[in-house]
Amino acid sequence: MSTNTSPQRIAVIGTGYVGLTTGASLAHFGFDVACCDIDERKVSMLQQGIIPIVEDGLSEMVADGQASGRLTFHLGSIESVSSADVVFLCVPTPQDDDGSADLTYVKLAATEIGPHLRPGAVVVNKSTVPVGSFHLVGEALARADVDVVSNPEFLREGSAVHDCLHPDRVVIGAENPDAAAKVAALYESLDTQIILTDPASAETIKYAANGFLAMKISFINSVAAMCEQVGADVAAVVAGIGSDGRIGPQFLNPGPGWGGSCFPKDSRALVSIARERGYDFSLMRGVIDINEQQYERMVSKITRSTGRFAHDRLDGVIVAALGLTFKAGTDDLRESPSVRILRDLERRGATIQAYDPTTVGDLDEIQRARLSGFDVRSSVLDAVSGADVVAVLTEWPEFSEIDLPKMVEVMRGNNVVDCRNLLEPTVVKAAGLTYDGVGRS
Ligand code: NAD
């Protein structure tokens, strides 16, 4: 078992949002990091210094790591793990059909690297996995001389580099204190608290954190719905409750509903983990239901803005969508509320013209599949041209600077539905447009 608390060589399995940012950060801290992936195209791009994702500051940090020789990229992981002191698992854990987390990638990666690990190596699981998966990783590795440590990741897409360099905390769940110390040593240079705990608690912390944040958003979306009925302004309510230290202002922005690669699958996995252990996590089920209703509320707002009833068909209606990603600052379209809402409108007959700053130019294969059927355009004005209604669906700052008079000129209709409360209602109305936001009186 591990005793050395100063690991130097690190292998990272999976170079997605988490793996690439983790690998680049660890190289930035001074460690030798080999980042491995099975995606040939991704590895080839990274070897040439091309970053396959949009993440502020990541290309600079990767370039620094490559220039220093501390950060390298490899197709396959066997060679890299055989010389690593610590191996990070950063592979996907998508949602299975029944809402539980699909651990196929984690099991495959662990089974593959197991025979090639150095004696005394530590395998750190950063993938979000259900409570108890710690043991499952150990079983798949089949190595009594290797420790497994749970080290959940809390970075937010869009500020992943910042979050890795300035985390609110680092959580390390381990049975062996030496292995925990070895992982803690990797974060020594950070000015943050390190929470040492057992593996089950570490795994629970990750789900509980995401579940709580999703709950905050669903809560404020419900409050926003209420504000519309009672004539209150949700911004004033947020200022009023967010200033209470017990509540805090973060994650209280009303919007089209939460989405992305984590909240939807993790909230469902939390319900599923609880159910398997005989507990009905009804609060979390409610949080998910409210989010589904929020998508429907946005669809109905967009429909009604065109003068139709909420459930009417939309044949012949052109909807201009501003924003496709699940939030600003990322190119991630996974479980994007925008795409989900637009699919509903499309099913009811609407034509979708869309613009997003991350989908300008040739779309890659994944983007093409996720956006099939939408007319993806290369500028805001292009997207709103001929539209009956403009729906602001992602909070990209550039949308708050739209040239409204020009927009009025090129639109066919005159309706704006601001699902992110990004625009100033009085200014929009002064330009001759109708305005509907979320929870705005
Ligand atoms: P991702 O899909 O962006 O990247 C995963 C990468 O792993 C892919 O490049 C894939 O090719 C690679 N991969 C799969 N199997 C492999 C194998 N056997 N060997 C080498 N590479 C392999 O995923 P992500 O968003 O980085 O998420 C990874 C994990 O971290 C998930 O469990 C997720 O829930 C969790 N997480 C994600 C975020 C986030 O914001 N994206 C935040 C915190 C935690």
mmCIF file of all heavy atoms in Angstrom, residues 340-366:
data_model
loop_
_atom_site.group_PDB
_atom_site.id
_atom_site.type_symbol
_atom_site.label_atom_id
_atom_site.label_comp_id
_atom_site.label_asym_id
_atom_site.label_seq_id
_atom_site.Cartn_x
_atom_site.Cartn_y
_atom_site.Cartn_z
ATOM 1 N N ARG A 340 -34.025 21.547 -25.620
ATOM 2 C CA ARG A 340 -35.231 20.825 -25.186
ATOM 3 C C ARG A 340 -36.507 21.637 -25.516
ATOM 4 O O ARG A 340 -37.490 21.121 -26.054
ATOM 5 C CB ARG A 340 -35.094 20.570 -23.682
ATOM 6 C CG ARG A 340 -36.310 20.122 -22.972
ATOM 7 C CD ARG A 340 -36.679 18.673 -23.323
ATOM 8 N NE ARG A 340 -37.951 18.370 -22.737
ATOM 9 C CZ ARG A 340 -38.110 17.853 -21.538
ATOM 10 N NH1 ARG A 340 -37.066 17.551 -20.798
ATOM 11 N NH2 ARG A 340 -39.319 17.634 -21.055
ATOM 12 N N ILE A 341 -36.456 22.933 -25.204
ATOM 13 C CA ILE A 341 -37.612 23.820 -25.457
ATOM 14 C C ILE A 341 -37.862 23.944 -26.965
ATOM 15 O O ILE A 341 -39.001 23.862 -27.432
ATOM 16 C CB ILE A 341 -37.346 25.202 -24.801
ATOM 17 C CG1 ILE A 341 -37.439 25.060 -23.271
ATOM 18 C CG2 ILE A 341 -38.297 26.281 -25.324
ATOM 19 C CD1 ILE A 341 -36.791 26.196 -22.498
ATOM 20 N N LEU A 342 -36.769 24.103 -27.718
ATOM 21 C CA LEU A 342 -36.910 24.244 -29.177
ATOM 22 C C LEU A 342 -37.453 22.971 -29.820
ATOM 23 O O LEU A 342 -38.241 23.043 -30.765
ATOM 24 C CB LEU A 342 -35.568 24.639 -29.801
ATOM 25 C CG LEU A 342 -35.033 26.014 -29.359
ATOM 26 C CD1 LEU A 342 -33.622 26.230 -29.879
ATOM 27 C CD2 LEU A 342 -35.957 27.141 -29.811
ATOM 28 N N ARG A 343 -37.043 21.811 -29.298
ATOM 29 C CA ARG A 343 -37.586 20.545 -29.835
ATOM 30 C C ARG A 343 -39.108 20.495 -29.621
ATOM 31 O O ARG A 343 -39.846 20.047 -30.503
ATOM 32 C CB ARG A 343 -36.956 19.335 -29.148
ATOM 33 C CG ARG A 343 -35.542 19.070 -29.567
ATOM 34 C CD ARG A 343 -35.449 18.349 -30.917
ATOM 35 N NE ARG A 343 -34.053 18.300 -31.362
ATOM 36 C CZ ARG A 343 -33.606 18.664 -32.559
ATOM 37 N NH1 ARG A 343 -34.440 19.103 -33.479
ATOM 38 N NH2 ARG A 343 -32.340 18.600 -32.859
ATOM 39 N N ASP A 344 -39.576 20.941 -28.468
ATOM 40 C CA ASP A 344 -41.024 20.949 -28.201
ATOM 41 C C ASP A 344 -41.745 21.860 -29.195
ATOM 42 O O ASP A 344 -42.786 21.513 -29.738
ATOM 43 C CB ASP A 344 -41.314 21.454 -26.778
ATOM 44 C CG ASP A 344 -41.153 20.344 -25.754
ATOM 45 O OD1 ASP A 344 -40.759 19.234 -26.153
ATOM 46 O OD2 ASP A 344 -41.415 20.600 -24.557
ATOM 47 N N LEU A 345 -41.168 23.033 -29.435
ATOM 48 C CA LEU A 345 -41.784 23.990 -30.369
ATOM 49 C C LEU A 345 -41.775 23.416 -31.789
ATOM 50 O O LEU A 345 -42.754 23.539 -32.529
ATOM 51 C CB LEU A 345 -41.029 25.321 -30.330
ATOM 52 C CG LEU A 345 -41.112 26.090 -29.007
ATOM 53 C CD1 LEU A 345 -40.033 27.171 -28.944
ATOM 54 C CD2 LEU A 345 -42.500 26.729 -28.839
ATOM 55 N N GLU A 346 -40.659 22.766 -32.118
ATOM 56 C CA GLU A 346 -40.523 22.164 -33.451
ATOM 57 C C GLU A 346 -41.566 21.062 -33.650
ATOM 58 O O GLU A 346 -42.199 20.974 -34.707
ATOM 59 C CB GLU A 346 -39.111 21.588 -33.590
ATOM 60 C CG GLU A 346 -38.769 21.056 -34.962
ATOM 61 C CD GLU A 346 -37.457 20.277 -34.939
ATOM 62 O OE1 GLU A 346 -37.224 19.509 -33.980
ATOM 63 O OE2 GLU A 346 -36.666 20.437 -35.879
ATOM 64 N N ARG A 347 -41.756 20.226 -32.609
ATOM 65 C CA ARG A 347 -42.750 19.134 -32.694
ATOM 66 C C ARG A 347 -44.143 19.679 -32.948
ATOM 67 O O ARG A 347 -44.977 19.049 -33.559
ATOM 68 C CB ARG A 347 -42.774 18.337 -31.377
ATOM 69 C CG ARG A 347 -42.113 16.979 -31.486
ATOM 70 C CD ARG A 347 -42.388 16.121 -30.268
ATOM 71 N NE ARG A 347 -41.965 16.722 -29.020
ATOM 72 C CZ ARG A 347 -40.720 16.713 -28.574
ATOM 73 N NH1 ARG A 347 -39.782 16.106 -29.249
ATOM 74 N NH2 ARG A 347 -40.405 17.291 -27.436
ATOM 75 N N ARG A 348 -44.390 20.912 -32.480
ATOM 76 C CA ARG A 348 -45.722 21.496 -32.674
ATOM 77 C C ARG A 348 -45.813 22.306 -33.954
ATOM 78 O O ARG A 348 -46.783 23.036 -34.160
ATOM 79 C CB ARG A 348 -46.085 22.320 -31.443
ATOM 80 C CG ARG A 348 -46.342 21.326 -30.312
ATOM 81 C CD ARG A 348 -46.596 21.881 -28.982
ATOM 82 N NE ARG A 348 -47.349 23.082 -28.966
ATOM 83 C CZ ARG A 348 -47.345 23.926 -27.937
ATOM 84 N NH1 ARG A 348 -46.616 23.661 -26.883
ATOM 85 N NH2 ARG A 348 -48.066 25.000 -27.968
ATOM 86 N N GLY A 349 -44.782 22.205 -34.787
ATOM 87 C CA GLY A 349 -44.888 22.778 -36.121
ATOM 88 C C GLY A 349 -44.034 24.009 -36.365
ATOM 89 O O GLY A 349 -43.970 24.489 -37.506
ATOM 90 N N ALA A 350 -43.375 24.548 -35.326
ATOM 91 C CA ALA A 350 -42.591 25.780 -35.524
ATOM 92 C C ALA A 350 -41.312 25.504 -36.312
ATOM 93 O O ALA A 350 -40.766 24.402 -36.259
ATOM 94 C CB ALA A 350 -42.228 26.385 -34.167
ATOM 95 N N THR A 351 -40.867 26.522 -37.031
ATOM 96 C CA THR A 351 -39.559 26.470 -37.692
ATOM 97 C C THR A 351 -38.567 27.169 -36.761
ATOM 98 O O THR A 351 -38.860 28.244 -36.231
ATOM 99 C CB THR A 351 -39.621 27.230 -39.035
ATOM 100 O OG1 THR A 351 -40.565 26.544 -39.862
ATOM 101 C CG2 THR A 351 -38.268 27.286 -39.716
ATOM 102 N N ILE A 352 -37.405 26.538 -36.566
ATOM 103 C CA ILE A 352 -36.432 27.100 -35.617
ATOM 104 C C ILE A 352 -35.237 27.680 -36.367
ATOM 105 O O ILE A 352 -34.532 26.969 -37.093
ATOM 106 C CB ILE A 352 -35.921 26.013 -34.628
ATOM 107 C CG1 ILE A 352 -37.087 25.252 -33.972
ATOM 108 C CG2 ILE A 352 -34.973 26.628 -33.591
ATOM 109 C CD1 ILE A 352 -38.024 26.082 -33.140
ATOM 110 N N GLN A 353 -34.994 28.971 -36.168
ATOM 111 C CA GLN A 353 -33.769 29.628 -36.652
ATOM 112 C C GLN A 353 -32.957 29.962 -35.409
ATOM 113 O O GLN A 353 -33.479 30.628 -34.509
ATOM 114 C CB GLN A 353 -34.115 30.908 -37.397
ATOM 115 C CG GLN A 353 -34.859 30.662 -38.699
ATOM 116 C CD GLN A 353 -35.264 31.934 -39.405
ATOM 117 O OE1 GLN A 353 -35.883 31.852 -40.448
ATOM 118 N NE2 GLN A 353 -34.957 33.112 -38.862
ATOM 119 N N ALA A 354 -31.719 29.483 -35.360
ATOM 120 C CA ALA A 354 -30.981 29.635 -34.100
ATOM 121 C C ALA A 354 -29.602 30.234 -34.313
ATOM 122 O O ALA A 354 -28.973 30.038 -35.353
ATOM 123 C CB ALA A 354 -30.857 28.271 -33.432
ATOM 124 N N TYR A 355 -29.158 30.931 -33.269
ATOM 125 C CA TYR A 355 -27.780 31.432 -33.254
ATOM 126 C C TYR A 355 -27.182 31.182 -31.872
ATOM 127 O O TYR A 355 -27.845 31.392 -30.848
ATOM 128 C CB TYR A 355 -27.733 32.947 -33.550
ATOM 129 C CG TYR A 355 -26.389 33.536 -33.215
ATOM 130 C CD1 TYR A 355 -25.302 33.356 -34.077
ATOM 131 C CD2 TYR A 355 -26.182 34.227 -32.016
ATOM 132 C CE1 TYR A 355 -24.050 33.858 -33.751
ATOM 133 C CE2 TYR A 355 -24.926 34.741 -31.691
ATOM 134 C CZ TYR A 355 -23.862 34.544 -32.563
ATOM 135 O OH TYR A 355 -22.621 35.025 -32.246
ATOM 136 N N ASP A 356 -25.944 30.733 -31.885
ATOM 137 C CA ASP A 356 -25.177 30.616 -30.638
ATOM 138 C C ASP A 356 -23.731 30.912 -30.995
ATOM 139 O O ASP A 356 -23.259 30.446 -32.044
ATOM 140 C CB ASP A 356 -25.310 29.185 -30.069
ATOM 141 C CG ASP A 356 -24.681 29.069 -28.688
ATOM 142 O OD1 ASP A 356 -23.435 28.979 -28.594
ATOM 143 O OD2 ASP A 356 -25.435 29.080 -27.690
ATOM 144 N N PRO A 357 -23.007 31.678 -30.155
ATOM 145 C CA PRO A 357 -21.619 32.005 -30.522
ATOM 146 C C PRO A 357 -20.731 30.776 -30.682
ATOM 147 O O PRO A 357 -19.688 30.858 -31.330
ATOM 148 C CB PRO A 357 -21.130 32.885 -29.357
ATOM 149 C CG PRO A 357 -22.208 32.895 -28.341
ATOM 150 C CD PRO A 357 -23.461 32.363 -28.943
ATOM 151 N N THR A 358 -21.131 29.636 -30.121
ATOM 152 C CA THR A 358 -20.266 28.447 -30.243
ATOM 153 C C THR A 358 -20.645 27.552 -31.416
ATOM 154 O O THR A 358 -20.049 26.488 -31.603
ATOM 155 C CB THR A 358 -20.306 27.589 -28.950
ATOM 156 O OG1 THR A 358 -21.618 27.049 -28.795
ATOM 157 C CG2 THR A 358 -19.925 28.391 -27.733
ATOM 158 N N THR A 359 -21.660 27.953 -32.189
ATOM 159 C CA THR A 359 -22.039 27.100 -33.332
ATOM 160 C C THR A 359 -21.920 27.853 -34.652
ATOM 161 O O THR A 359 -22.619 27.558 -35.615
ATOM 162 C CB THR A 359 -23.481 26.557 -33.177
ATOM 163 O OG1 THR A 359 -24.368 27.674 -33.025
ATOM 164 C CG2 THR A 359 -23.631 25.635 -31.986
ATOM 165 N N VAL A 360 -21.019 28.824 -34.672
ATOM 166 C CA VAL A 360 -20.782 29.577 -35.911
ATOM 167 C C VAL A 360 -19.786 28.783 -36.769
ATOM 168 O O VAL A 360 -18.846 28.208 -36.243
ATOM 169 C CB VAL A 360 -20.212 30.979 -35.581
ATOM 170 C CG1 VAL A 360 -19.855 31.730 -36.845
ATOM 171 C CG2 VAL A 360 -21.219 31.770 -34.755
ATOM 172 N N GLY A 361 -20.001 28.750 -38.059
ATOM 173 C CA GLY A 361 -19.103 27.988 -38.942
ATOM 174 C C GLY A 361 -19.556 26.550 -39.043
ATOM 175 O O GLY A 361 -20.699 26.220 -38.744
ATOM 176 N N ASP A 362 -18.632 25.688 -39.470
ATOM 177 C CA ASP A 362 -18.996 24.273 -39.659
ATOM 178 C C ASP A 362 -19.257 23.602 -38.315
ATOM 179 O O ASP A 362 -18.439 23.703 -37.396
ATOM 180 C CB ASP A 362 -17.861 23.535 -40.380
ATOM 181 C CG ASP A 362 -17.764 23.998 -41.827
ATOM 182 O OD1 ASP A 362 -18.774 24.523 -42.337
ATOM 183 O OD2 ASP A 362 -16.680 23.851 -42.420
ATOM 184 N N LEU A 363 -20.392 22.917 -38.210
ATOM 185 C CA LEU A 363 -20.695 22.198 -36.978
ATOM 186 C C LEU A 363 -19.946 20.872 -36.993
ATOM 187 O O LEU A 363 -19.776 20.260 -38.038
ATOM 188 C CB LEU A 363 -22.197 21.921 -36.866
ATOM 189 C CG LEU A 363 -23.141 23.128 -36.909
ATOM 190 C CD1 LEU A 363 -24.575 22.681 -36.669
ATOM 191 C CD2 LEU A 363 -22.739 24.174 -35.867
ATOM 192 N N ASP A 364 -19.498 20.439 -35.800
ATOM 193 C CA ASP A 364 -18.884 19.114 -35.769
ATOM 194 C C ASP A 364 -19.990 18.063 -35.709
ATOM 195 O O ASP A 364 -21.176 18.386 -35.606
ATOM 196 C CB ASP A 364 -17.853 18.982 -34.624
ATOM 197 C CG ASP A 364 -18.482 19.069 -33.248
ATOM 198 O OD1 ASP A 364 -19.656 18.654 -33.112
ATOM 199 O OD2 ASP A 364 -17.809 19.542 -32.311
ATOM 200 N N GLU A 365 -19.572 16.797 -35.755
ATOM 201 C CA GLU A 365 -20.530 15.698 -35.857
ATOM 202 C C GLU A 365 -21.535 15.707 -34.694
ATOM 203 O O GLU A 365 -22.735 15.501 -34.888
ATOM 204 C CB GLU A 365 -19.724 14.398 -35.846
ATOM 205 C CG GLU A 365 -20.385 13.227 -36.523
ATOM 206 C CD GLU A 365 -19.487 12.008 -36.401
ATOM 207 O OE1 GLU A 365 -18.275 12.131 -36.689
ATOM 208 O OE2 GLU A 365 -20.002 10.979 -35.995
ATOM 209 N N ILE A 366 -21.026 15.946 -33.487
ATOM 210 C CA ILE A 366 -21.886 15.899 -32.289
ATOM 211 C C ILE A 366 -22.890 17.051 -32.327
ATOM 212 O O ILE A 366 -24.082 16.879 -32.056
ATOM 213 C CB ILE A 366 -21.022 15.959 -31.002
ATOM 214 C CG1 ILE A 366 -20.138 14.718 -30.936
ATOM 215 C CG2 ILE A 366 -21.881 16.078 -29.747
ATOM 216 C CD1 ILE A 366 -19.065 14.755 -29.887
#
